Amino acid sequence: MKENHFLSFFVYDIITTRAMSNTISIIEIIIVKLLEFSVKFAFS
Protein backbone atom coordinates (compact mmCIF):
# COMPACT_ATOMS: atom_id res chain seq x y z
CA MET A 1 0.00 0.00 0.00
CA LYS A 2 2.72 2.49 0.87
CA GLU A 3 4.29 2.17 -2.57
CA ASN A 4 1.01 3.17 -4.22
CA HIS A 5 0.41 6.38 -2.32
CA PHE A 6 0.89 9.23 -4.77
CA LEU A 7 2.05 11.82 -2.23
CA SER A 8 4.38 9.94 0.10
CA PHE A 9 5.75 6.95 -1.78
CA PHE A 10 9.17 8.60 -2.12
CA VAL A 11 9.43 9.33 1.61
CA TYR A 12 9.48 5.64 2.52
CA ASP A 13 12.81 5.28 0.66
CA ILE A 14 14.32 7.81 3.10
CA ILE A 15 12.71 6.93 6.45
CA THR A 16 10.92 3.93 7.90
CA THR A 17 7.18 3.41 7.87
CA ARG A 18 7.03 3.79 11.66
CA ALA A 19 8.92 7.10 11.56
CA MET A 20 6.59 8.41 8.87
CA SER A 21 3.57 7.33 10.90
CA ASN A 22 4.93 9.08 13.99
CA THR A 23 5.60 12.24 11.98
CA ILE A 24 2.05 12.29 10.61
CA SER A 25 0.68 11.74 14.12
CA ILE A 26 2.67 14.68 15.50
CA ILE A 27 1.43 16.91 12.69
CA GLU A 28 -2.16 15.88 13.42
CA ILE A 29 -1.75 16.66 17.13
CA ILE A 30 -0.30 20.08 16.32
CA ILE A 31 -3.23 20.85 14.02
CA VAL A 32 -5.75 19.84 16.69
CA LYS A 33 -4.02 22.01 19.29
CA LEU A 34 -4.01 24.98 16.90
CA LEU A 35 -7.72 24.50 16.23
CA GLU A 36 -8.48 24.33 19.95
CA PHE A 37 -6.43 27.48 20.48
CA SER A 38 -8.23 29.37 17.73
CA VAL A 39 -11.69 28.28 18.92
CA LYS A 40 -10.84 29.30 22.47
CA PHE A 41 -10.06 32.87 21.40
CA ALA A 42 -12.85 33.08 18.83
CA PHE A 43 -15.52 32.64 21.49
CA SER A 44 -13.92 34.53 24.36
Side-chain angles (χ1 to χ4, degrees), residues 1-2 5 7-9 11-12 15-32:
M1 184 174 107
K2 65 184 179 185
H5 196 280
L7 289 177
S8 63
F9 69 93
V11 178
Y12 292 107
I15 61 175
T16 64
T17 304
R18 184 170 183 92
M20 186 63 193
S21 175
N22 291 342
T23 303
I24 292 171
S25 298
I26 291 170
I27 292 170
E28 289 176 348
I29 291 169
I30 290 170
I31 290 171
V32 167

